[in-house]
Amino acid sequence: MGALIWLASYPKSGNTWMRSFLHNLFRNSHQPVSINEIDDFCLGASASAWYKRYTSTPPGEMTDEEAARYRLQVQRDFTTVFPDSVFVKTHGYLGEHSGVPLHNMDVTAGAIYIVRNPLDVALSMGPHFGISTDEAIATLANENAGSRGADTHVPEHYGSWSTHVRTWTRVPSPALLVMRYEDMLEKPRKSMKTVAGFLGLNPSADRLERAIKYSSFKVLKAQEQKEGFKERPEVSKAFFREGKRDQWREKLSPDQVRQIIRDHHVQMERFGYIPDDYRDAVPASSEASA
């Protein structure tokens, strides 16, 4: 029986990239692992198949209360999949919902948390969820943000971007590794070596390099174009779109940038996401916006 290692992030912040990297690193193959095999390596916290063991209610009709009733036991069931570490993807904030923790800490060994600039997250969320940029900005600030149940998953609870980041990162711990998406882009070798070290691994330079290469945005996008990606929402034309940083400078209006900063300035400040030329958008009050 293993213990859970959460791969946590707000949606569209690099979770699939991290899962692909780890899958390629552990598999150590001489060709890229298929993106459609990621769930063989990393479980999904909201995957409906695990809940069907305990209820006949269709996932799309499951209420928050019913999902909460089985959540902790389902996550305990995850520990039976592998004898050691069990990686689990989550987009949930770290806290309770419907009176039950969203993550079972009794069977948790640690977590890797990926944070991404919300100015870019807003741009990625729009096409991914089939909503406008303004709607994505509103979602980022919505404390009740989440996804409804569907055939493949039970309801998920994100909270606002600020709440998500704050709840996962406010208490430093040796069992928690916090990674910035932007650092992963700019310094992939250093970043991924840090991830491997956190997991107690010391891969050879060649093995690390292959895992980085095989999980690169270029490779993932090419795989999706060739074979599709089962995690792509029906409303989205492509799961892997740009994979770049600072696109907001060309695609967000000044008013949109200022709104995001007003909504999330506390956590953005912590992670170096407030642009110097938009410092005037930070509210005078230092009270948390999360």
Side-chain angles (χ1 to χ4, degrees), residues 245-270:
R245 60 170 296 175
D246 295 336
Q247 295 182 78
W248 63 268
R249 285 203 171 272
E250 297 178 357
K251 298 182 179 181
L252 291 183
S253 71
D255 285 344
Q256 289 173 325
V257 173
R258 292 176 187 280
Q259 183 63 58
I260 293 172
I261 293 174
R262 283 195 296 269
D263 290 340
H264 307 290
H265 62 96
V266 173
Q267 301 306 320
M268 290 180 72
E269 187 77 76
R270 287 183 62 211

Side-chain angles (χ1 to χ4, degrees), residues 196-218:
F198 172 75
L199 297 173
L201 305 174
N202 185 27
S204 67
D206 287 346
R207 181 172 181 175
L208 183 67
E209 192 68 29
R210 279 197 306 273
I212 292 171
K213 177 181 178 181
Y214 293 163
S215 60
S216 67
F217 183 83
K218 180 180 179 180

Side-chain angles (χ1 to χ4, degrees), residues 44-62:
S46 63
S48 61
W50 294 86
Y51 287 80
K52 291 177 180 178
R53 300 180 176 188
Y54 298 102
T55 177
S56 60
T57 302
E61 300 176 14
M62 193 176 296

Side-chain angles (χ1 to χ4, degrees), residues 110-128:
I112 298 173
Y113 185 81
I114 309 169
V115 58
R116 185 185 186 188
N117 191 334
L119 297 170
D120 282 324
V121 173
L123 287 175
S124 291
M125 282 182 64
H128 184 77

Side-chain angles (χ1 to χ4, degrees), residues 103-152:
H103 304 87
N104 189 342
M105 289 300 153
D106 289 341
V107 293
T108 292
I112 298 173
Y113 185 81
I114 309 169
V115 58
R116 185 185 186 188
N117 191 334
L119 297 170
D120 282 324
V121 173
L123 287 175
S124 291
M125 282 182 64
H128 184 77
F129 291 116
I131 58 179
S132 70
T133 300
D134 284 335
E135 289 172 323
I137 291 172
T139 298
L140 286 173
N142 182 2
E143 295 298 347
N144 295 314
S147 64
R148 297 178 180 179
D151 289 342
T152 57

Side-chain angles (χ1 to χ4, degrees), residues 17-289:
W17 179 13
M18 180 62 72
R19 288 185 289 149
S20 178
F21 164 73
L22 289 174
H23 197 181
N24 279 283
L25 182 68
F26 278 92
R27 182 70 65 84
N28 194 26
S29 173
H30 286 272
Q31 60 183 5
V33 176
S34 169
I35 54 174
N36 288 307
E37 295 178 7
I38 290 178
D39 57 357
D40 295 338
F41 163 80
C42 178
L43 307 181
S46 63
S48 61
W50 294 86
Y51 287 80
K52 291 177 180 178
R53 300 180 176 188
Y54 298 102
T55 177
S56 60
T57 302
E61 300 176 14
M62 193 176 296
T63 64
D64 290 341
E65 290 73 21
E66 186 168 10
R69 189 181 309 153
Y70 306 115
R71 185 183 302 126
L72 298 184
Q73 183 56 52
V74 162
Q75 293 176 7
R76 189 174 294 278
D77 291 346
F78 290 167
T79 66
T80 65
V81 175
F82 300 114
D84 41 29
S85 298
V86 180
F87 292 96
V88 185
K89 164 197 169 183
T90 178
H91 287 318
Y93 63 87
L94 188 59
E96 293 188 356
H97 197 279
S98 298
V100 178
L102 290 174
H103 304 87
N104 189 342
M105 289 300 153
D106 289 341
V107 293
T108 292
I112 298 173
Y113 185 81
I114 309 169
V115 58
R116 185 185 186 188
N117 191 334
L119 297 170
D120 282 324
V121 173
L123 287 175
S124 291
M125 282 182 64
H128 184 77
F129 291 116
I131 58 179
S132 70
T133 300
D134 284 335
E135 289 172 323
I137 291 172
T139 298
L140 286 173
N142 182 2
E143 295 298 347
N144 295 314
S147 64
R148 297 178 180 179
D151 289 342
T152 57
H153 62 270
V154 300
E156 295 180 287
H157 305 285
Y158 316 146
S160 71
W161 181 88
S162 286
T163 290
H164 202 284
V165 173
R166 175 177 55 81
T167 56
W168 276 102
T169 67
R170 63 184 167 184
V171 181
S173 168
L176 171 67
L177 176 65
V178 179
M179 302 291 295
R180 289 198 338 153
Y181 179 93
E182 295 75 18
D183 295 334
M184 291 164 58
L185 281 176
E186 293 179 4
K187 300 177 180 179
R189 290 163 187 80
K190 180 179 179 181
S191 296
M192 297 315 192
K193 186 174 182 179
T194 298
V195 171
F198 172 75
L199 297 173
L201 305 174
N202 185 27
S204 67
D206 287 346
R207 181 172 181 175
L208 183 67
E209 192 68 29
R210 279 197 306 273
I212 292 171
K213 177 181 178 181
Y214 293 163
S215 60
S216 67
F217 183 83
K218 180 180 179 180
V219 171
L220 297 178
K221 187 175 181 68
Q223 283 191 353
E224 181 182 17
Q225 291 174 340
K226 181 179 180 180
E227 58 189 82
F229 184 31
K230 60 187 179 182
E231 294 185 19
R232 177 184 65 82
E234 292 184 3
V235 297
S236 177
K237 294 181 179 179
F239 189 97
F240 302 101
R241 295 178 59 255
E242 300 291 341
K244 300 177 182 178
R245 60 170 296 175
D246 295 336
Q247 295 182 78
W248 63 268
R249 285 203 171 272
E250 297 178 357
K251 298 182 179 181
L252 291 183
S253 71
D255 285 344
Q256 289 173 325
V257 173
R258 292 176 187 280
Q259 183 63 58
I260 293 172
I261 293 174
R262 283 195 296 269
D263 290 340
H264 307 290
H265 62 96
V266 173
Q267 301 306 320
M268 290 180 72
E269 187 77 76
R270 287 183 62 211
F271 289 94
Y273 289 145
I274 297 179
D276 289 340
D277 51 336
Y278 279 94
R279 279 278 160 194
D280 63 322
V282 177
S285 170
S286 61
E287 293 182 358
S289 61

